[in-house]
Amino acid sequence: MPGMRAAAPEAATPLQRLVAEQRAALGGRFSTDDIVAVLHQAIVRGIFHPGQALRQDELAAEFQVSKIPLREALRTLQAQGFVELPLNRGALVQAPTLDQLKDAFELRLLVEPSLMRTAAPLLTRADLDEAERLVRAMDKAGTAWAFSELNVRFHDLLYGPAQRPLSKQILAMLQGHIQRMSFMQLSLAGFNRSSNEDHRVILAACRKGDAEAAARAVAAHVKGVRKIVLELVAQQGLG
């Protein structure tokens, strides 16, 4: 009617904003792998909560795809341990349990110090300078997600030179859960950056060429994160 002001459009949901960002970055269309990446990020960032139903009709419409690539993406996330697909009940976000978290940390403690010990003598000055740049970027990160992304890149960079394909494969399988754990730590603990001091200790040992000290620093770092995460999830009532 004349003189009436049009209603403001409803604000985009966090998922809609995430999908829009990725659509712009990808140039429009989503592949199955792209859908996996977006849904994984939504789960890690808490946009989707543990136990939440993932409605395939709504998600297919959001991504502007048919249900076929969406179902494939959900099956991939099921294999990675992020989604449950109970019979005739659709898809649910899988909640991490204390036992799963403990197991993931035990695997990290077996794999990461060993990779660091192997990689440390092979790191170039350019590698170390880039790692230092990432540490400085983490100091300035404005969100837990930005910090978490940089944290993954930092560790990937330092372990990169190790010619340990099976160890790297195991770590790659853990990577999503590692990011979920680090994001949980940062979010529930009020986004503290104490772990970045650990990164400096690791990097200093690498610059000195002390592989054993670097491996010990990585182990101490993982143990420190484990302590914080397990205490926080216990407080949240995760069983």
Side-chain angles (χ1 to χ4, degrees), residues 119-155:
L122 304 174
L123 289 164
T124 66
R125 179 171 293 182
D127 292 331
L128 296 171
D129 289 346
E130 175 61 13
E132 189 166 336
R133 187 193 70 77
L134 291 170
V135 169
R136 291 197 300 269
M138 279 185 270
D139 281 334
K140 298 176 182 178
T143 66
W145 177 252
F147 188 104
S148 179
E149 289 269 83
L150 291 164
N151 176 67
V152 169
R153 289 169 57 191
F154 173 83
H155 288 283

mmCIF file of all heavy atoms in Angstrom, residues 119-155:
data_model
loop_
_atom_site.group_PDB
_atom_site.id
_atom_site.type_symbol
_atom_site.label_atom_id
_atom_site.label_comp_id
_atom_site.label_asym_id
_atom_site.label_seq_id
_atom_site.Cartn_x
_atom_site.Cartn_y
_atom_site.Cartn_z
ATOM 1 N N ALA A 119 60.591 -34.697 9.877
ATOM 2 C CA ALA A 119 60.525 -33.528 8.999
ATOM 3 C C ALA A 119 61.485 -32.423 9.391
ATOM 4 O O ALA A 119 61.964 -31.675 8.519
ATOM 5 C CB ALA A 119 59.099 -32.984 8.971
ATOM 6 N N ALA A 120 61.773 -32.282 10.683
ATOM 7 C CA ALA A 120 62.533 -31.122 11.172
ATOM 8 C C ALA A 120 63.846 -30.887 10.421
ATOM 9 O O ALA A 120 64.137 -29.751 10.025
ATOM 10 C CB ALA A 120 62.784 -31.254 12.674
ATOM 11 N N PRO A 121 64.684 -31.912 10.192
ATOM 12 C CA PRO A 121 65.956 -31.649 9.492
ATOM 13 C C PRO A 121 65.778 -31.276 8.017
ATOM 14 O O PRO A 121 66.729 -30.789 7.391
ATOM 15 C CB PRO A 121 66.699 -32.989 9.601
ATOM 16 C CG PRO A 121 65.995 -33.765 10.662
ATOM 17 C CD PRO A 121 64.582 -33.320 10.614
ATOM 18 N N LEU A 122 64.574 -31.504 7.478
ATOM 19 C CA LEU A 122 64.337 -31.279 6.052
ATOM 20 C C LEU A 122 63.653 -29.948 5.764
ATOM 21 O O LEU A 122 63.482 -29.584 4.600
ATOM 22 C CB LEU A 122 63.478 -32.431 5.487
ATOM 23 C CG LEU A 122 64.041 -33.837 5.706
ATOM 24 C CD1 LEU A 122 63.029 -34.881 5.245
ATOM 25 C CD2 LEU A 122 65.362 -34.016 4.977
ATOM 26 N N LEU A 123 63.255 -29.242 6.805
ATOM 27 C CA LEU A 123 62.580 -27.965 6.613
ATOM 28 C C LEU A 123 63.560 -26.919 6.074
ATOM 29 O O LEU A 123 64.681 -26.797 6.556
ATOM 30 C CB LEU A 123 61.981 -27.471 7.935
ATOM 31 C CG LEU A 123 60.769 -28.262 8.447
ATOM 32 C CD1 LEU A 123 60.512 -27.947 9.910
ATOM 33 C CD2 LEU A 123 59.538 -27.964 7.611
ATOM 34 N N THR A 124 63.127 -26.165 5.092
ATOM 35 C CA THR A 124 63.961 -25.108 4.513
ATOM 36 C C THR A 124 63.736 -23.801 5.265
ATOM 37 O O THR A 124 62.776 -23.663 6.040
ATOM 38 C CB THR A 124 63.614 -24.897 3.032
ATOM 39 O OG1 THR A 124 62.272 -24.389 2.935
ATOM 40 C CG2 THR A 124 63.725 -26.211 2.252
ATOM 41 N N ARG A 125 64.592 -22.839 4.994
ATOM 42 C CA ARG A 125 64.401 -21.515 5.601
ATOM 43 C C ARG A 125 63.064 -20.920 5.158
ATOM 44 O O ARG A 125 62.375 -20.277 5.954
ATOM 45 C CB ARG A 125 65.547 -20.578 5.207
ATOM 46 C CG ARG A 125 65.388 -19.169 5.790
ATOM 47 C CD ARG A 125 66.620 -18.328 5.587
ATOM 48 N NE ARG A 125 67.742 -18.839 6.350
ATOM 49 C CZ ARG A 125 68.941 -18.254 6.381
ATOM 50 N NH1 ARG A 125 69.171 -17.157 5.680
ATOM 51 N NH2 ARG A 125 69.908 -18.770 7.110
ATOM 52 N N ALA A 126 62.708 -21.154 3.899
ATOM 53 C CA ALA A 126 61.426 -20.636 3.400
ATOM 54 C C ALA A 126 60.263 -21.272 4.165
ATOM 55 O O ALA A 126 59.276 -20.595 4.498
ATOM 56 C CB ALA A 126 61.296 -20.911 1.905
ATOM 57 N N ASP A 127 60.356 -22.581 4.443
ATOM 58 C CA ASP A 127 59.325 -23.259 5.228
ATOM 59 C C ASP A 127 59.185 -22.621 6.605
ATOM 60 O O ASP A 127 58.077 -22.331 7.080
ATOM 61 C CB ASP A 127 59.661 -24.744 5.416
ATOM 62 C CG ASP A 127 59.597 -25.545 4.136
ATOM 63 O OD1 ASP A 127 58.823 -25.187 3.240
ATOM 64 O OD2 ASP A 127 60.342 -26.550 4.049
ATOM 65 N N LEU A 128 60.322 -22.398 7.240
ATOM 66 C CA LEU A 128 60.309 -21.858 8.597
ATOM 67 C C LEU A 128 59.802 -20.420 8.622
ATOM 68 O O LEU A 128 59.083 -20.024 9.548
ATOM 69 C CB LEU A 128 61.707 -21.949 9.193
ATOM 70 C CG LEU A 128 62.230 -23.384 9.375
ATOM 71 C CD1 LEU A 128 63.704 -23.379 9.756
ATOM 72 C CD2 LEU A 128 61.406 -24.128 10.422
ATOM 73 N N ASP A 129 60.171 -19.648 7.613
ATOM 74 C CA ASP A 129 59.680 -18.269 7.541
ATOM 75 C C ASP A 129 58.168 -18.236 7.335
ATOM 76 O O ASP A 129 57.472 -17.402 7.921
ATOM 77 C CB ASP A 129 60.378 -17.510 6.400
ATOM 78 C CG ASP A 129 61.840 -17.215 6.697
ATOM 79 O OD1 ASP A 129 62.250 -17.346 7.875
ATOM 80 O OD2 ASP A 129 62.574 -16.865 5.756
ATOM 81 N N GLU A 130 57.660 -19.155 6.510
ATOM 82 C CA GLU A 130 56.213 -19.228 6.302
ATOM 83 C C GLU A 130 55.516 -19.677 7.583
ATOM 84 O O GLU A 130 54.431 -19.167 7.927
ATOM 85 C CB GLU A 130 55.886 -20.192 5.155
ATOM 86 C CG GLU A 130 54.413 -20.448 4.916
ATOM 87 C CD GLU A 130 53.625 -19.208 4.544
ATOM 88 O OE1 GLU A 130 54.240 -18.161 4.224
ATOM 89 O OE2 GLU A 130 52.376 -19.277 4.570
ATOM 90 N N ALA A 131 56.112 -20.624 8.296
ATOM 91 C CA ALA A 131 55.538 -21.063 9.570
ATOM 92 C C ALA A 131 55.484 -19.901 10.565
ATOM 93 O O ALA A 131 54.495 -19.737 11.294
ATOM 94 C CB ALA A 131 56.352 -22.219 10.144
ATOM 95 N N GLU A 132 56.525 -19.089 10.583
ATOM 96 C CA GLU A 132 56.536 -17.925 11.473
ATOM 97 C C GLU A 132 55.457 -16.924 11.080
ATOM 98 O O GLU A 132 54.810 -16.310 11.938
ATOM 99 C CB GLU A 132 57.909 -17.258 11.439
ATOM 100 C CG GLU A 132 58.076 -16.175 12.487
ATOM 101 C CD GLU A 132 59.520 -15.766 12.678
ATOM 102 O OE1 GLU A 132 60.418 -16.564 12.379
ATOM 103 O OE2 GLU A 132 59.735 -14.627 13.127
ATOM 104 N N ARG A 133 55.247 -16.759 9.768
ATOM 105 C CA ARG A 133 54.183 -15.863 9.297
ATOM 106 C C ARG A 133 52.820 -16.362 9.785
ATOM 107 O O ARG A 133 51.967 -15.570 10.196
ATOM 108 C CB ARG A 133 54.201 -15.778 7.772
ATOM 109 C CG ARG A 133 53.243 -14.732 7.202
ATOM 110 C CD ARG A 133 53.059 -14.885 5.723
ATOM 111 N NE ARG A 133 52.302 -16.090 5.390
ATOM 112 C CZ ARG A 133 50.990 -16.185 5.515
ATOM 113 N NH1 ARG A 133 50.274 -15.166 5.973
ATOM 114 N NH2 ARG A 133 50.372 -17.313 5.200
ATOM 115 N N LEU A 134 52.619 -17.680 9.760
ATOM 116 C CA LEU A 134 51.360 -18.251 10.225
ATOM 117 C C LEU A 134 51.167 -18.030 11.729
ATOM 118 O O LEU A 134 50.061 -17.760 12.188
ATOM 119 C CB LEU A 134 51.305 -19.742 9.895
ATOM 120 C CG LEU A 134 51.187 -20.083 8.403
ATOM 121 C CD1 LEU A 134 51.384 -21.585 8.185
ATOM 122 C CD2 LEU A 134 49.833 -19.646 7.851
ATOM 123 N N VAL A 135 52.256 -18.138 12.487
ATOM 124 C CA VAL A 135 52.174 -17.883 13.932
ATOM 125 C C VAL A 135 51.759 -16.439 14.184
ATOM 126 O O VAL A 135 50.890 -16.162 15.027
ATOM 127 C CB VAL A 135 53.520 -18.200 14.615
ATOM 128 C CG1 VAL A 135 53.524 -17.682 16.054
ATOM 129 C CG2 VAL A 135 53.793 -19.701 14.597
ATOM 130 N N ARG A 136 52.346 -15.503 13.457
ATOM 131 C CA ARG A 136 51.975 -14.094 13.623
ATOM 132 C C ARG A 136 50.518 -13.867 13.217
ATOM 133 O O ARG A 136 49.802 -13.089 13.847
ATOM 134 C CB ARG A 136 52.899 -13.198 12.800
ATOM 135 C CG ARG A 136 54.338 -13.140 13.325
ATOM 136 C CD ARG A 136 55.080 -11.949 12.750
ATOM 137 N NE ARG A 136 55.150 -12.009 11.300
ATOM 138 C CZ ARG A 136 56.142 -12.572 10.622
ATOM 139 N NH1 ARG A 136 57.160 -13.133 11.267
ATOM 140 N NH2 ARG A 136 56.143 -12.577 9.298
ATOM 141 N N ALA A 137 50.088 -14.566 12.165
ATOM 142 C CA ALA A 137 48.698 -14.436 11.728
ATOM 143 C C ALA A 137 47.746 -14.968 12.791
ATOM 144 O O ALA A 137 46.656 -14.418 13.004
ATOM 145 C CB ALA A 137 48.491 -15.170 10.403
ATOM 146 N N MET A 138 48.149 -16.045 13.486
ATOM 147 C CA MET A 138 47.309 -16.575 14.559
ATOM 148 C C MET A 138 47.195 -15.583 15.710
ATOM 149 O O MET A 138 46.155 -15.483 16.360
ATOM 150 C CB MET A 138 47.843 -17.927 15.042
ATOM 151 C CG MET A 138 47.426 -19.091 14.157
ATOM 152 S SD MET A 138 47.937 -20.721 14.781
ATOM 153 C CE MET A 138 49.546 -20.888 13.997
ATOM 154 N N ASP A 139 48.262 -14.829 15.962
ATOM 155 C CA ASP A 139 48.195 -13.792 16.991
ATOM 156 C C ASP A 139 47.099 -12.774 16.679
ATOM 157 O O ASP A 139 46.471 -12.220 17.583
ATOM 158 C CB ASP A 139 49.533 -13.051 17.092
ATOM 159 C CG ASP A 139 50.573 -13.828 17.879
ATOM 160 O OD1 ASP A 139 50.184 -14.650 18.729
ATOM 161 O OD2 ASP A 139 51.778 -13.606 17.639
ATOM 162 N N LYS A 140 46.889 -12.522 15.392
ATOM 163 C CA LYS A 140 45.949 -11.477 14.967
ATOM 164 C C LYS A 140 44.575 -12.029 14.575
ATOM 165 O O LYS A 140 43.680 -11.257 14.229
ATOM 166 C CB LYS A 140 46.536 -10.717 13.778
ATOM 167 C CG LYS A 140 47.843 -9.994 14.095
ATOM 168 C CD LYS A 140 48.428 -9.351 12.845
ATOM 169 C CE LYS A 140 49.761 -8.679 13.148
ATOM 170 N NZ LYS A 140 50.377 -8.091 11.927
ATOM 171 N N ALA A 141 44.421 -13.347 14.604
ATOM 172 C CA ALA A 141 43.158 -13.951 14.164
ATOM 173 C C ALA A 141 41.994 -13.415 14.999
ATOM 174 O O ALA A 141 42.054 -13.378 16.224
ATOM 175 C CB ALA A 141 43.233 -15.468 14.273
ATOM 176 N N GLY A 142 40.934 -13.015 14.304
ATOM 177 C CA GLY A 142 39.809 -12.408 14.991
ATOM 178 C C GLY A 142 38.726 -13.376 15.425
ATOM 179 O O GLY A 142 37.843 -13.010 16.201
ATOM 180 N N THR A 143 38.788 -14.610 14.928
ATOM 181 C CA THR A 143 37.771 -15.602 15.283
ATOM 182 C C THR A 143 38.435 -16.942 15.558
ATOM 183 O O THR A 143 39.553 -17.205 15.109
ATOM 184 C CB THR A 143 36.745 -15.794 14.139
ATOM 185 O OG1 THR A 143 37.412 -16.371 13.000
ATOM 186 C CG2 THR A 143 36.091 -14.472 13.750
ATOM 187 N N ALA A 144 37.699 -17.789 16.275
ATOM 188 C CA ALA A 144 38.207 -19.129 16.559
ATOM 189 C C ALA A 144 38.398 -19.923 15.269
ATOM 190 O O ALA A 144 39.346 -20.699 15.142
ATOM 191 C CB ALA A 144 37.247 -19.865 17.502
ATOM 192 N N TRP A 145 37.485 -19.722 14.302
ATOM 193 C CA TRP A 145 37.604 -20.463 13.047
ATOM 194 C C TRP A 145 38.848 -20.047 12.282
ATOM 195 O O TRP A 145 39.584 -20.896 11.754
ATOM 196 C CB TRP A 145 36.366 -20.264 12.180
ATOM 197 C CG TRP A 145 36.482 -20.959 10.852
ATOM 198 C CD1 TRP A 145 36.653 -20.378 9.635
ATOM 199 C CD2 TRP A 145 36.484 -22.371 10.625
ATOM 200 N NE1 TRP A 145 36.760 -21.337 8.654
ATOM 201 C CE2 TRP A 145 36.654 -22.568 9.234
ATOM 202 C CE3 TRP A 145 36.352 -23.487 11.448
ATOM 203 C CZ2 TRP A 145 36.689 -23.835 8.657
ATOM 204 C CZ3 TRP A 145 36.393 -24.742 10.873
ATOM 205 C CH2 TRP A 145 36.560 -24.913 9.498
ATOM 206 N N ALA A 146 39.123 -18.738 12.212
ATOM 207 C CA ALA A 146 40.312 -18.262 11.500
ATOM 208 C C ALA A 146 41.566 -18.833 12.148
ATOM 209 O O ALA A 146 42.498 -19.271 11.464
ATOM 210 C CB ALA A 146 40.349 -16.733 11.491
ATOM 211 N N PHE A 147 41.604 -18.836 13.488
ATOM 212 C CA PHE A 147 42.744 -19.406 14.205
ATOM 213 C C PHE A 147 42.879 -20.887 13.885
ATOM 214 O O PHE A 147 43.983 -21.380 13.622
ATOM 215 C CB PHE A 147 42.568 -19.200 15.707
ATOM 216 C CG PHE A 147 43.776 -19.571 16.536
ATOM 217 C CD1 PHE A 147 44.601 -18.605 17.064
ATOM 218 C CD2 PHE A 147 44.083 -20.906 16.783
ATOM 219 C CE1 PHE A 147 45.710 -18.945 17.824
ATOM 220 C CE2 PHE A 147 45.190 -21.265 17.536
ATOM 221 C CZ PHE A 147 46.005 -20.280 18.055
ATOM 222 N N SER A 148 41.762 -21.594 13.899
ATOM 223 C CA SER A 148 41.775 -23.037 13.653
ATOM 224 C C SER A 148 42.310 -23.359 12.259
ATOM 225 O O SER A 148 43.107 -24.294 12.086
ATOM 226 C CB SER A 148 40.360 -23.598 13.831
ATOM 227 O OG SER A 148 40.321 -24.980 13.579
ATOM 228 N N GLU A 149 41.882 -22.599 11.260
ATOM 229 C CA GLU A 149 42.355 -22.802 9.892
ATOM 230 C C GLU A 149 43.869 -22.597 9.793
ATOM 231 O O GLU A 149 44.584 -23.377 9.159
ATOM 232 C CB GLU A 149 41.645 -21.833 8.953
ATOM 233 C CG GLU A 149 40.187 -22.142 8.719
ATOM 234 C CD GLU A 149 40.006 -23.043 7.504
ATOM 235 O OE1 GLU A 149 40.162 -24.271 7.668
ATOM 236 O OE2 GLU A 149 39.730 -22.529 6.416
ATOM 237 N N LEU A 150 44.352 -21.523 10.417
ATOM 238 C CA LEU A 150 45.788 -21.233 10.397
ATOM 239 C C LEU A 150 46.569 -22.306 11.157
ATOM 240 O O LEU A 150 47.680 -22.682 10.761
ATOM 241 C CB LEU A 150 46.045 -19.858 11.023
ATOM 242 C CG LEU A 150 45.537 -18.660 10.218
ATOM 243 C CD1 LEU A 150 45.486 -17.419 11.095
ATOM 244 C CD2 LEU A 150 46.426 -18.406 8.993
ATOM 245 N N ASN A 151 45.991 -22.807 12.240
ATOM 246 C CA ASN A 151 46.635 -23.851 13.028
ATOM 247 C C ASN A 151 46.855 -25.115 12.193
ATOM 248 O O ASN A 151 47.936 -25.713 12.229
ATOM 249 C CB ASN A 151 45.754 -24.162 14.245
ATOM 250 C CG ASN A 151 46.289 -25.294 15.081
ATOM 251 O OD1 ASN A 151 47.334 -25.197 15.708
ATOM 252 N ND2 ASN A 151 45.564 -26.406 15.094
ATOM 253 N N VAL A 152 45.838 -25.506 11.430
ATOM 254 C CA VAL A 152 45.969 -26.678 10.564
ATOM 255 C C VAL A 152 47.074 -26.455 9.536
ATOM 256 O O VAL A 152 47.907 -27.349 9.292
ATOM 257 C CB VAL A 152 44.627 -26.980 9.867
ATOM 258 C CG1 VAL A 152 44.809 -28.026 8.769
ATOM 259 C CG2 VAL A 152 43.600 -27.467 10.882
ATOM 260 N N ARG A 153 47.110 -25.280 8.938
ATOM 261 C CA ARG A 153 48.132 -24.978 7.924
ATOM 262 C C ARG A 153 49.532 -24.993 8.532
ATOM 263 O O ARG A 153 50.494 -25.459 7.900
ATOM 264 C CB ARG A 153 47.841 -23.617 7.280
ATOM 265 C CG ARG A 153 46.627 -23.624 6.361
ATOM 266 C CD ARG A 153 46.205 -22.229 5.967
ATOM 267 N NE ARG A 153 47.283 -21.491 5.322
ATOM 268 C CZ ARG A 153 47.249 -20.194 5.070
ATOM 269 N NH1 ARG A 153 46.176 -19.478 5.425
ATOM 270 N NH2 ARG A 153 48.255 -19.594 4.475
ATOM 271 N N PHE A 154 49.666 -24.504 9.762
ATOM 272 C CA PHE A 154 50.971 -24.483 10.445
ATOM 273 C C PHE A 154 51.515 -25.900 10.613
ATOM 274 O O PHE A 154 52.667 -26.191 10.259
ATOM 275 C CB PHE A 154 50.811 -23.801 11.808
ATOM 276 C CG PHE A 154 52.038 -23.854 12.682
ATOM 277 C CD1 PHE A 154 53.063 -22.926 12.528
ATOM 278 C CD2 PHE A 154 52.172 -24.825 13.672
ATOM 279 C CE1 PHE A 154 54.202 -22.969 13.343
ATOM 280 C CE2 PHE A 154 53.289 -24.871 14.484
ATOM 281 C CZ PHE A 154 54.307 -23.936 14.312
ATOM 282 N N HIS A 155 50.683 -26.789 11.137
ATOM 283 C CA HIS A 155 51.145 -28.158 11.376
ATOM 284 C C HIS A 155 51.384 -28.904 10.061
ATOM 285 O O HIS A 155 52.362 -29.647 9.933
ATOM 286 C CB HIS A 155 50.160 -28.899 12.277
ATOM 287 C CG HIS A 155 50.196 -28.436 13.697
ATOM 288 N ND1 HIS A 155 51.190 -28.795 14.579
ATOM 289 C CD2 HIS A 155 49.370 -27.605 14.386
ATOM 290 C CE1 HIS A 155 50.977 -28.227 15.754
ATOM 291 N NE2 HIS A 155 49.875 -27.494 15.666
#
